[in-house]
Amino acid sequence: MNAPDRYERFVVPEGVAKVSYERDTKIINAASFTIEREDHTVGNILRMQLHRDENVLFAGYKLPHPLKYKIIIRIHTTSQSSPMQAYNQAINDLDKELDHLKNAFEAELARHSGSGRQPRDDERSEIFIQGRDHHMANEKSSNENLPSHAAPTPAMTSCRKKKKDDATFLEDVRDHIDEFIHASMEEHKNCFKKTVKKMFGMSKVVAQRNSEIKEVESSLPLRTTLAD
């Protein structure tokens, strides 16, 4: 078999740097970072952390090939920052967030251990969720203090019949799966029809906007200049 060895997925070869930096020569304040032996786990969480930085104009990542165990992260910032500063800041913020989750989990684990019993699996999940919700609440309060540059995008409607505003992530997923399993075939058909109609409606709006733009362009007078 030509399958590569499993250790190649996480062992960095000798002479290869874990992270390499390449500045973009065509766009100002843009660069690419190549991280060896990482995948979507690091790429996605780092991308989301970069999106929280108001000085980051663009942040994305890609995997060049399924058998090439590396990710390429591209960052474009304003003149107030630089890709290297944004990258280091995102790494530091993630370290603090993970440390907070770890400390909260260990504190609850020590509290349960002191009572003479080990926490159950659902209690471990609840400890993690409490730490995550605490961090998200702090992020929300800090984002509310920032000036809003654009109106929020309205949420898309769904076919779900029941929702809990105060439900945790796991509860929401559990309710969603339960609704999907116990829904009748007629309910699935109606939900599918609503989704298709919504997609066609959005397509019509886009087509109408494009036609309006073309009509405006065609109504503009032509200017010609005759040379002497």
Side-chain angles (χ1 to χ4, degrees):
M1 297 179 62
N2 296 326
D5 295 328
R6 292 188 176 183
Y7 72 88
E8 294 184 4
R9 298 183 179 182
F10 51 87
V11 177
V12 180
E14 294 184 2
V16 178
K18 177 66 176 180
V19 181
S20 59
Y21 169 84
E22 182 180 0
R23 185 174 62 87
D24 195 317
T25 57
K26 297 181 180 180
I27 303 177
I28 301 176
N29 291 331
S32 299
F33 296 83
T34 301
I35 306 178
E36 295 288 343
R37 298 320 186 245
E38 297 295 346
D39 54 14
H40 293 285
T41 303
V42 173
N44 192 45
I45 192 174
L46 188 56
R47 175 183 63 88
M48 293 302 298
Q49 187 64 38
L50 287 167
H51 285 173
R52 298 176 179 177
D53 191 342
E54 59 182 2
N55 291 321
V56 174
L57 300 176
F58 172 82
Y61 78 96
K62 67 177 182 179
L63 275 73
H65 192 274
L67 297 180
K68 293 182 179 180
Y69 307 117
K70 64 181 179 180
I71 58 175
I72 299 177
I73 299 178
R74 182 171 176 80
I75 305 174
H76 183 200
T77 65
T78 63
S79 58
Q80 305 298 326
S81 182
S82 68
M84 184 64 72
Q85 293 177 356
Y87 177 85
N88 292 332
Q89 184 64 38
I91 294 296
N92 293 332
D93 292 341
L94 287 174
D95 284 340
K96 295 178 182 179
E97 181 175 348
L98 294 176
D99 286 341
H100 173 77
L101 293 176
K102 178 182 177 182
N103 294 334
F105 180 84
E106 290 179 348
E108 288 294 325
L109 184 63
R111 184 170 67 86
H112 286 281
S113 299
S115 61
R117 69 177 183 88
Q118 294 293 330
R120 301 186 304 270
D121 291 339
D122 57 341
E123 293 176 337
R124 293 175 184 267
S125 301
E126 187 65 25
I127 294 171
F128 175 81
I129 292 172
Q130 290 177 359
R132 183 203 63 184
D133 293 342
H134 175 74
H135 177 77
M136 293 178 64
N138 293 337
E139 286 288 336
K140 183 178 179 181
S141 61
S142 61
N143 292 334
E144 289 177 351
N145 297 329
L146 297 176
S148 58
H149 300 286
T153 304
M156 298 289 290
T157 58
S158 65
C159 300
R160 298 188 60 182
K161 296 181 296 184
K162 59 181 180 180
K163 281 188 177 181
K164 298 179 181 179
D165 296 334
D166 57 344
T168 63
F169 175 77
L170 293 178
E171 292 176 347
D172 188 64
V173 172
R174 190 185 304 112
D175 292 341
H176 198 173
I177 295 175
D178 182 71
E179 292 174 17
F180 181 83
I181 294 175
H182 294 88
S184 63
M185 182 59 65
E186 189 66 26
E187 290 175 334
H188 283 296
K189 290 181 180 179
N190 293 334
C191 183
F192 180 75
K193 290 179 181 179
K194 291 180 182 180
T195 304
V196 172
K197 289 181 180 180
K198 186 188 304 180
M199 293 173 60
F200 277 109
M202 295 175 63
S203 300
K204 291 180 181 179
V205 172
V206 174
Q208 183 178 1
R209 290 179 179 176
N210 292 336
S211 62
E212 292 176 355
I213 294 174
K214 291 181 179 179
E215 290 178 359
V216 172
E217 292 178 351
S218 61
S219 63
L220 294 177
L222 296 178
R223 295 182 179 181
T224 57
T225 303
L226 299 177
D228 295 336

